[in-house]
Amino acid sequence: MSLKQIKRYLDNIENNKPINLSKFFKVVDMLSLETSRASDDIKAYKHSGDLYIVTEIEVKLKEELYLLTSSNDWSREGLAQQNRSHDANVDGSFIIIRSSDNLPTLITIGGNGEVVSGFERKEQALLIENRQNFLKINETMKFIKEYTNTDLTPDFDIIFTEGNAITNALHKPFLSKYKNFYLLLDLDLGGLTIAKNLTELLPNTPMKLILPLDIEERLSKVVEVKPHDYLKKVFDLGNNYPLLTVAASIIYKHKKILEQESYLYDV
């Protein structure tokens, strides 16, 4: 529950508007206030259904609730005064990027999606999900060349995705300048979800999901299988997103997944 939601409850109480009292109790009881709510601290009368008009809040409890929500600044800095910075979005972002023969560079993205740090972008990009593969870029590129049917041009950017962080809406102006993307992700629900989110963020950008030519043989050596509910989510993604159809069908067929760090074992 965010502080803004708590403040809305208090504003309604202040203006004699009905609130869902049981939900308000749950909100208050989840807070780590100095004084816990007693059963008779909040007095109210029934309005209709689950809605009540609050007539009185115990003085100390009311004081703490109002102090907690008193900030007029809902930025992370303002909310941090009550250790609630995570209730607000970070005003900006960054992307870690490199080429195969250079050290990684940090691209800073402003709060409106503007690129703060200068960077000469290439036309194509390879997105890599796992840190090990990104750091061992020469081995990763060797794997792509020898074990997949992906023919990358010599001149492209390599972007570290770090899970779904890359699909931050602030990244769209920067990422949309690329003509196409190659995606090297874990062959699992998380990897498919990243790809799904990217296609929704950049619906007009061509993308290819990179898979080893011998992926089924690799999966046959994996011992553990995934449960039905997991496989159902994979199946649904493959059914709804053409980019993911082949990968999802392979996971569903074998009931197994594979982390992309395993690709480094062969090179």
Side-chain angles (χ1 to χ4, degrees):
M1 179 65 69
S2 72
L3 295 189
K4 283 186 178 181
Q5 290 172 304
I6 298 171
K7 190 175 189 307
R8 281 196 290 271
Y9 275 117
L10 295 176
D11 287 344
N12 285 337
I13 292 171
E14 192 71 27
N15 292 303
N16 293 316
K17 293 182 179 179
I19 65 168
N20 187 309
L21 195 60
S22 61
K23 289 185 178 180
F24 181 57
F25 285 165
K26 288 180 181 178
V27 170
V28 174
D29 293 342
M30 287 174 63
L31 299 172
S32 299
L33 301 176
E34 290 185 37
T35 306
S36 299
R37 179 184 68 87
S39 59
D40 59 347
D41 278 350
I42 298 175
K43 295 180 172 57
Y45 63 86
K46 191 178 184 66
H47 179 267
S48 63
D50 295 327
L51 300 179
Y52 287 76
I53 301 291
V54 174
T55 58
E56 184 179 344
I57 301 178
E58 191 275 329
V59 175
K60 178 63 175 175
L61 176 61
K62 184 175 182 179
E63 180 182 301
E64 291 187 16
L65 289 174
Y66 273 86
L67 182 60
L68 186 65
T69 59
S70 61
S71 176
N72 292 317
D73 180 5
W74 296 102
S75 67
R76 287 180 69 93
E77 294 88 341
L79 291 171
Q81 296 177 73
Q82 291 293 339
N83 302 314
R84 287 280 183 154
S85 64
H86 293 290
D87 284 353
N89 293 326
V90 176
D91 189 21
S93 186
F94 62 83
I95 296 174
I96 301 175
I97 196 167
R98 70 179 300 175
S99 61
S100 59
D101 55 353
N102 289 321
L103 292 174
T105 298
L106 191 70
I107 305 300
T108 306
I109 309 292
N112 295 314
E114 69 276 13
V115 178
V116 178
S117 48
F119 181 77
E120 187 175 344
R121 189 180 8 239
K122 308 295 193 303
E123 290 189 349
Q124 298 186 89
L126 168 67
L127 275 70
I128 297 178
E129 177 183 357
N130 295 92
R131 190 168 299 171
Q132 187 82 340
N133 295 76
F134 183 78
L135 293 174
K136 291 193 171 184
I137 193 59
N138 292 329
E139 292 90 335
T140 297
M141 296 309 302
K142 184 173 184 288
F143 165 80
I144 292 175
K145 181 179 180 180
E146 295 181 359
Y147 288 91
T148 79
N149 63 354
T150 303
D151 186 20
L152 291 171
T153 63
D155 200 25
F156 60 94
D157 292 327
I158 303 166
I159 299 174
F160 180 45
T161 68
E162 193 168 20
N164 278 299
I166 194 63
T167 62
N168 186 328
L170 291 177
H171 298 165
K172 183 173 182 177
F174 179 83
L175 297 177
S176 62
K177 297 296 193 301
Y178 287 103
K179 289 188 176 179
N180 54 13
F181 283 99
Y182 296 92
L183 312 180
L184 186 64
L185 310 169
D186 284 338
L187 185 66
D188 63 5
L189 181 59
L192 296 186
T193 301
I194 294 170
K196 183 266 292 186
N197 291 339
L198 277 168
T199 62
E200 292 178 347
L201 182 71
L202 305 167
N204 299 317
T205 304
M207 298 184 188
K208 177 181 179 179
L209 188 62
I210 299 176
L211 292 174
L213 294 170
D214 60 348
I215 185 59
E216 296 202 60
E217 180 183 346
R218 292 170 185 266
L219 286 176
S220 69
K221 298 174 183 177
V222 175
V223 174
E224 295 183 292
V225 297
K226 304 305 290 184
H228 175 74
D229 59 339
Y230 183 99
L231 296 172
K232 177 64 167 58
K233 293 176 182 177
V234 168
F235 179 84
D236 289 344
L237 283 176
N239 196 41
N240 292 316
Y241 295 87
L243 174 67
L244 310 178
T245 300
V246 173
S249 64
I250 292 173
I251 295 174
Y252 193 81
K253 172 184 175 182
H254 291 269
K255 299 181 175 62
K256 298 173 182 179
I257 61 173
L258 192 63
E259 296 176 347
Q260 68 175 243
E261 287 97 334
S262 67
Y263 301 156
L264 298 175
Y265 184 78
D266 299 312
V267 296

